Amino acid sequence: MSVYSNVGISAIEVYFPTRRVKQEDFEEADKRSKGNYTIGLGQIKMAFTGPEEDVISFSKTVVQRLLEKNAVDIQKVGRIEVGTETIVDHSKSIKTYLMEHFLGNPFIEGCDTYNACYGATSALFNAVDYTRLYGKYSIVVASDIAIYGGPSLDARHTGGAGAVAMLITPNAPLVVDLDRKVMSAHVYDFHKPNTSIEFPYVEGKLSTDCYLQALALTHQGIKQLHSSQGKTFSMSNYDYQIFHAPFNKMIMKAHAFLTQLDADQTKTDPTTDLSTIVIPDPKSMTELVKQTKQSFDEKVGPSTLVPRLIGNSYTATLFMSLASILHTEPEEKLNGKSVFCFSYGSGLIAAIWSVKINKGSDEFPLSKLIHNLSNIQTLLDSEIVTTVPEFEAVMKAREDQLNLTHQPFNKNSPQPKDALIYATENPGPVIGSGVFYLKEITHDLRRTYVRKE
Amino acid sequence: MSVYSNVGISAIEVYFPTRRVKQEDFEEADKRSKGNYTIGLGQIKMAFTGPEEDVISFSKTVVQRLLEKNAVDIQKVGRIEVGTETIVDHSKSIKTYLMEHFLGNPFIEGCDTYNACYGATSALFNAVDYTRLYGKYSIVVASDIAIYGGPSLDARHTGGAGAVAMLITPNAPLVVDLDRKVMSAHVYDFHKPNTSIEFPYVEGKLSTDCYLQALALTHQGIKQLHSSQGKTFSMSNYDYQIFHAPFNKMIMKAHAFLTQLDADQTKTDPTTDLSTIVIPDPKSMTELVKQTKQSFDEKVGPSTLVPRLIGNSYTATLFMSLASILHTEPEEKLNGKSVFCFSYGSGLIAAIWSVKINKGSDEFPLSKLIHNLSNIQTLLDSEIVTTVPEFEAVMKAREDQLNLTHQPFNKNSPQPKDALIYATENPGPVIGSGVFYLKEITHDLRRTYVRKE
């Protein structure tokens, strides 16, 4: 059994929609005090989209652009994995829609993987392990539309939307380390149990507590793992840190808490029970965040560019953070650096893993990976900023479309199966050039997509 | 990077519910001619369950029994993957519910994987690849409840329900071969796009055609793979054959078509387009099935025990077939044998893979794996046979429960979050001893489970 080495990320493609709301406008609309969302959460804007886009169109956009910009030989691709928590169909995977981009090579493994914001990390691990064993390329897609309403309406300003596609190959410029530590537990901190709506049920305080407790437990786990290998785990080994970013303040707290945990050299009995892990009280946390501001700015700051401007894109957020570092830091500074990664998905599951940056191979050099991320600035610049009432109207249109797909279907009704229940006549400026959008939904709920010229 | 060898299945646990309807009763109720379902589809009975069970309770039952019967050291488990197409939650995975069975070891990777009936095969590949690379044990769960109604009501007799859990370790008695061939394409043969109902949209003829075309294409692919390794692929290398079994006639056709394909030594240009693959016309197929009856009985027959008596348990069906062989064939005959496996999931994705049977290790001998499958007979015997109207009443109760979970949730309503919207007071004889059932659903849609003593 041959094993391929230095497997990791050789190309990244990012997409997020054009429409944005300013967090300061949400503050005003929600009658919150100034700074509540902008400083309290640390967010600037939130990206959102209407019924003309879904997680499938997002995925098609990033995959097609990934293939084109990197001239990927599709015959070398052996696996595609999609991570999402925006479920459009209870059976047919998004991955099957992506097969239209691989005509000529049907021999591609993989399907969709789900657990809140963690799905794409699981997809990445599956893909990396596959490429380690089989040598063929993999593609990992993270695609989500985070919308709050109904039971979680008061969290609507913490939404977001976007997708990332990553090419996984041997001898990659971003090598995913073999060592990783994952922990999981049964908790109802955030779930989507009403499958007739797009909205989650959220226990905000519980979820942020669980996030920090999971960080502490995986940190304990990776320390033990390194120790069992005769190595010493230390955060000082990492030049950058990325954390799953539901909002920016969360990762400031995560960074602060982790810094404290890592500095603590007292020998304590390891715990295996998440709920016994003590997290700092609010006052101590505020103090910790202050104390660690400089290292946050240095090690985490470069990762916050996209997430602060578009919000939480669930599975995609962590990879938006990774892309932000690569886009904002000078290339000569990146070569040789290590990135600490923390993934979190409610329900729950979390992982500490890491990436080592090198100059890559002739086929996939680091310079090309970085160059191809230059469209991040284009995406950021091509924003259409809307008012809160405009945002609400678009959300209503999404909900109306969803409800149309929940109408009872009568096989014997006079309406033909291919009659349209939804159509995007002209997507207008909200869809950029080269972006896929949802063209039609038929009476039997088939979706067709078109790429805007 | 170390790689562990002879990774495969070391233990299997099977569960399916007690309630059954006879296919002959469906024939009468549906005013079909006698034999239409029993001979036409080759099915005997169909298992089903009411609102007191779901795919989570199924999964808990098989995992807990797997752990107990095999005295699994939970510290050795590093991954759990669940395959299903019965989506109860759009965010929280079934895997997180299973963490309650691993208290003391939170460090377990994996989440849920979806693509129609294929999810558990993808989960198996993920788990096997993980154990190959990391050496720790994995657990794979397949859990589904197949119900037809609404747009697919005329297929209601092709439902089924059940779950399988498998322990994956190195040096296993059922070694999963490294060689596998997967193909995938974008087709609407079966999907579940209305996420407010439990029912799929089915194009029956298209789906059975796609199944056979996917079989031909993966067969072409595995032949090429073996050829590239200097080996010759031949079905004569396999002692047993298992096929994803939506109904028994489907796998008789699959076996017949594959026998014809494998015998055909004419050199034809390989195709990569599923739709260009010609399948035998109905008359030729009937003839082929007749001609291959003897080899079907020998090589496929032993796998049909459970699927013919319980119906299509979607992701679990293929593993019910594998378990059926191990349960029905004499142990001394099994050692050294090879099993050809064909997985299919609509949408679509299919795989040819294989298993080699050996006597296993001291810890996980083949004899123990077989002995632990003896409860299959108990499960088959403990059936509660109902009439079609009784079946319809149970389906109505399931639908009522689902609709309760789709009620709008008002955070400010006087009803407390933990008020019950559903409770199973006394599950009665439909739940066997040692089986988990759904005890309650609260107003904020949390589910609790209890194990029947």
Side-chain angles (χ1 to χ4, degrees):
Chain A
M1 192 188 295
S2 60
V3 170
Y4 297 82
S5 55
N6 296 317
V7 170
I9 303 163
S10 287
I12 307 179
E13 186 62 34
V14 164
Y15 173 73
F16 43 86
T18 50
R19 290 186 184 108
R20 321 279 155 80
V21 197
K22 288 182 187 163
Q23 289 291 345
E24 57 189 52
D25 289 345
F26 271 133
E27 285 171 353
E28 208 180 302
D30 295 351
K31 298 189 173 53
R32 297 299 182 116
S33 56
K34 209 163 169 60
N36 207 301
Y37 300 160
T38 48
I39 299 163
L41 294 180
Q43 292 297 107
I44 303 165
K45 291 174 195 162
M46 187 186 95
F48 68 99
T49 190
E52 64 284 335
E53 286 186 293
D54 62 20
V55 284
I56 301 165
S57 70
F58 278 16
S59 301
K60 289 173 73 73
T61 297
V62 286
V63 164
Q64 188 57 34
R65 284 179 165 173
L66 184 84
L67 294 179
E68 286 169 0
K69 285 160 74 169
N70 297 282
V72 176
D73 176 358
I74 61 164
Q75 298 298 334
K76 290 185 176 171
V77 177
R79 189 173 186 115
I80 303 171
E81 290 264 332
V82 180
T84 187
E85 58 168 306
T86 312
I87 313 285
V88 175
D89 193 296
H90 283 187
S91 172
K92 185 171 164 64
S93 66
I94 297 171
K95 186 280 186 123
T96 59
Y97 286 91
L98 297 175
M99 289 308 296
E100 289 200 310
H101 302 262
F102 296 83
L103 299 180
N105 177 18
F107 300 115
I108 299 182
E109 299 195 353
C111 41
D112 295 5
T113 299
Y114 297 91
N115 189 102
C117 303
Y118 183 83
T121 296
S122 201
L124 178 73
F125 292 166
N126 290 339
V128 166
D129 287 351
Y130 166 82
T131 298
R132 280 173 179 150
L133 281 169
Y134 290 92
K136 294 203 85 168
Y137 298 174
S138 302
I139 290 174
V140 174
V141 179
S143 182
D144 266 308
I145 296 175
I147 299 179
Y148 296 82
S152 54
L153 182 63
D154 54 7
R156 67 172 177 170
H157 57 288
T158 65
V164 174
M166 294 174 284
L167 180 70
I168 309 300
T169 76
N171 305 315
L174 306 182
V175 175
V176 176
D177 292 322
L178 193 63
D179 289 342
R180 63 195 190 213
K181 202 72 190 184
V182 181
M183 68 75 46
S184 181
H186 167 46
V187 182
Y188 280 113
D189 59 328
F190 169 113
H191 62 149
K192 291 183 171 176
N194 180 342
T195 58
S196 72
I197 57 176
E198 279 200 297
F199 317 127
Y201 284 56
V202 188
E203 296 289 331
K205 169 76 166 66
L206 177 64
S207 197
T208 55
D209 285 359
C210 283
Y211 179 114
L212 294 172
Q213 289 170 317
L215 177 63
L217 194 51
T218 43
H219 175 254
Q220 175 196 301
I222 196 99
K223 269 170 67 177
Q224 285 172 333
L225 178 69
H226 280 226
S227 168
S228 73
Q229 297 168 345
K231 299 185 288 188
T232 304
F233 179 90
S234 165
M235 287 305 295
S236 63
N237 296 337
Y238 300 97
D239 305 288
Y240 298 103
Q241 301 171 11
I242 59 174
F243 301 86
H244 169 61
F247 49 86
N248 203 58
K249 182 54 84 59
M250 184 74 241
I251 68 173
M252 294 169 79
K253 289 181 183 175
H255 167 78
F257 187 36
L258 185 59
T259 305
Q260 185 197 45
L261 288 169
D262 205 61
D264 185 2
Q265 293 299 321
T266 50
K267 289 247 184 292
T268 48
D269 283 336
T271 181
T272 60
D273 180 357
L274 197 73
S275 65
T276 64
I277 295 174
V278 179
I279 54 172
D281 61 68
K283 210 181 139 187
S284 310
M285 186 59 96
T286 304
E287 191 51 41
L288 267 181
V289 167
K290 252 187 225 165
Q291 285 168 11
T292 55
K293 187 179 180 305
Q294 195 188 332
S295 75
F296 179 87
D297 290 346
E298 271 173 36
K299 297 193 161 189
V300 189
S303 75
T304 65
L305 173 73
V306 175
R308 291 187 76 197
L309 287 166
I310 72 163
N312 187 1
S313 52
Y314 287 161
T315 56
T317 299
L318 191 75
F319 303 101
M320 295 281 183
S321 303
L322 182 60
S324 294
I325 291 178
L326 298 161
H327 176 63
T328 53
E329 291 284 274
E331 185 183 333
E332 59 278 13
K333 194 178 158 191
L334 289 167
N335 187 13
K337 295 293 192 288
S338 285
V339 186
F340 168 95
C341 310
F342 178 67
S343 304
Y344 180 78
S346 291
L348 59 80
I349 183 164
I352 284 177
W353 54 286
S354 53
V355 164
K356 281 201 185 65
I357 307 175
N358 67 80
K359 62 181 174 39
S361 64
D362 287 349
E363 192 179 2
F364 298 112
L366 176 63
S367 54
K368 190 173 166 190
L369 185 153
I370 292 170
H371 175 76
N372 282 343
L373 284 172
S374 61
N375 73 318
I376 287 181
Q377 201 51 52
T378 318
L379 287 165
L380 289 174
D381 292 344
S382 64
E383 63 181 6
I384 297 170
V385 180
T386 73
T387 64
V388 172
E390 283 166 339
F391 160 76
E392 286 167 345
V394 174
M395 289 304 99
K396 178 70 170 55
R398 278 194 76 83
E399 208 171 329
D400 290 346
Q401 184 205 53
L402 186 70
N403 290 338
L404 280 173
T405 68
H406 292 169
Q407 294 303 307
F409 177 84
N410 184 352
K411 273 207 162 178
N412 304 316
S413 81
Q415 191 156 37
K417 287 194 294 190
D418 57 356
L420 298 187
I421 64 163
Y422 170 84
T424 302
E425 287 312 333
N426 177 0
V430 297
I431 301 294
S433 174
V435 172
F436 284 85
Y437 63 93
L438 175 60
K439 176 77 179 154
E440 292 168 358
I441 304 178
T442 58
H443 190 51
D444 60 349
L445 304 182
R446 297 174 188 222
R447 287 164 189 252
T448 49
Y449 298 88
V450 169
R451 191 179 196 184
K452 189 169 173 184
E453 280 183 23
Chain B
M1 192 189 293
S2 60
V3 170
Y4 296 82
S5 55
N6 296 317
V7 170
I9 303 163
S10 286
I12 307 179
E13 185 63 33
V14 164
Y15 173 73
F16 43 85
T18 51
R19 290 186 185 109
R20 321 278 155 80
V21 198
K22 289 182 186 163
Q23 290 291 346
E24 57 189 54
D25 289 346
F26 271 133
E27 285 171 353
E28 209 179 301
D30 295 351
K31 297 188 174 54
R32 296 300 181 116
S33 56
K34 209 165 168 61
N36 207 299
Y37 300 161
T38 49
I39 299 163
L41 294 180
Q43 292 296 108
I44 302 165
K45 290 173 195 163
M46 187 187 95
F48 68 98
T49 191
E52 64 284 335
E53 286 186 294
D54 61 20
V55 285
I56 301 165
S57 70
F58 279 15
S59 301
K60 289 173 73 73
T61 297
V62 287
V63 164
Q64 187 57 33
R65 285 178 165 173
L66 184 83
L67 295 178
E68 286 169 0
K69 285 160 74 171
N70 297 283
V72 176
D73 176 358
I74 61 164
Q75 298 298 334
K76 290 185 177 169
V77 177
R79 189 171 186 116
I80 303 171
E81 290 264 333
V82 181
T84 187
E85 58 168 305
T86 311
I87 313 286
V88 175
D89 193 295
H90 282 188
S91 173
K92 185 171 164 64
S93 67
I94 297 171
K95 186 282 187 125
T96 60
Y97 287 90
L98 297 175
M99 289 308 296
E100 289 200 308
H101 302 262
F102 295 84
L103 299 179
N105 177 18
F107 299 114
I108 299 182
E109 299 195 353
C111 41
D112 295 4
T113 299
Y114 298 90
N115 190 100
C117 303
Y118 183 84
T121 296
S122 201
L124 178 74
F125 292 165
N126 290 339
V128 166
D129 287 352
Y130 166 82
T131 298
R132 279 173 179 149
L133 281 170
Y134 290 92
K136 295 203 84 169
Y137 298 174
S138 302
I139 291 174
V140 174
V141 180
S143 184
D144 266 309
I145 297 175
I147 299 178
Y148 296 81
S152 54
L153 182 63
D154 54 7
R156 67 172 179 170
H157 57 288
T158 64
V164 174
M166 294 174 283
L167 181 69
I168 310 299
T169 76
N171 304 314
L174 307 182
V175 175
V176 176
D177 292 321
L178 193 63
D179 289 342
R180 63 195 188 213
K181 202 71 190 185
V182 181
M183 68 75 46
S184 183
H186 168 45
V187 182
Y188 279 113
D189 59 328
F190 170 113
H191 61 149
K192 290 183 169 177
N194 180 342
T195 58
S196 73
I197 57 176
E198 279 200 298
F199 318 128
Y201 284 57
V202 188
E203 296 288 334
K205 169 75 166 65
L206 177 65
S207 197
T208 56
D209 285 358
C210 283
Y211 179 114
L212 294 172
Q213 289 169 318
L215 177 63
L217 194 51
T218 42
H219 174 255
Q220 175 197 301
I222 196 101
K223 269 170 66 177
Q224 285 172 332
L225 177 68
H226 280 226
S227 168
S228 74
Q229 297 168 342
K231 300 185 290 189
T232 304
F233 180 89
S234 164
M235 287 305 294
S236 63
N237 296 338
Y238 301 97
D239 306 286
Y240 299 102
Q241 300 171 11
I242 59 174
F243 300 87
H244 169 61
F247 49 85
N248 204 58
K249 182 55 82 58
M250 185 74 240
I251 67 173
M252 294 168 79
K253 289 181 185 176
H255 167 78
F257 186 37
L258 185 59
T259 305
Q260 185 197 44
L261 288 169
D262 205 59
D264 185 3
Q265 293 299 322
T266 50
K267 290 246 185 293
T268 47
D269 282 336
T271 179
T272 59
D273 180 357
L274 197 73
S275 66
T276 63
I277 294 174
V278 179
I279 55 173
D281 61 67
K283 209 180 139 187
S284 311
M285 185 59 96
T286 305
E287 191 50 41
L288 267 181
V289 167
K290 253 188 225 164
Q291 285 168 11
T292 55
K293 188 179 180 306
Q294 196 189 331
S295 75
F296 179 87
D297 289 346
E298 272 173 36
K299 297 194 161 189
V300 190
S303 75
T304 65
L305 174 73
V306 175
R308 291 187 75 196
L309 288 166
I310 74 163
N312 187 2
S313 51
Y314 287 160
T315 56
T317 299
L318 190 75
F319 304 100
M320 296 280 183
S321 304
L322 182 61
S324 295
I325 291 178
L326 298 162
H327 177 62
T328 53
E329 291 285 273
E331 185 183 334
E332 60 279 11
K333 195 178 157 190
L334 288 168
N335 187 12
K337 296 292 193 287
S338 285
V339 186
F340 168 94
C341 311
F342 178 68
S343 303
Y344 180 78
S346 291
L348 58 79
I349 181 163
I352 285 177
W353 53 287
S354 54
V355 164
K356 281 202 186 65
I357 306 176
N358 67 80
K359 64 181 173 38
S361 64
D362 287 349
E363 192 179 3
F364 298 112
L366 177 63
S367 55
K368 189 174 165 190
L369 185 153
I370 292 169
H371 174 76
N372 282 343
L373 284 172
S374 61
N375 73 318
I376 286 181
Q377 201 52 53
T378 319
L379 286 165
L380 289 174
D381 292 344
S382 65
E383 63 181 7
I384 298 169
V385 180
T386 74
T387 64
V388 172
E390 283 165 339
F391 159 76
E392 286 167 345
V394 174
M395 289 303 100
K396 178 69 171 56
R398 278 194 77 82
E399 208 172 327
D400 290 346
Q401 184 205 52
L402 186 70
N403 289 337
L404 279 173
T405 68
H406 292 169
Q407 294 304 308
F409 177 85
N410 183 351
K411 272 207 162 177
N412 304 316
S413 81
Q415 189 155 36
K417 286 194 294 189
D418 57 357
L420 298 187
I421 63 163
Y422 170 84
T424 302
E425 289 310 334
N426 177 0
V430 297
I431 301 295
S433 174
V435 171
F436 285 84
Y437 63 93
L438 175 60
K439 177 77 179 153
E440 292 168 358
I441 304 177
T442 58
H443 190 52
D444 61 349
L445 304 183
R446 297 173 188 223
R447 287 162 188 252
T448 51
Y449 298 88
V450 168
R451 191 178 196 184
K452 189 169 173 184
E453 281 183 23

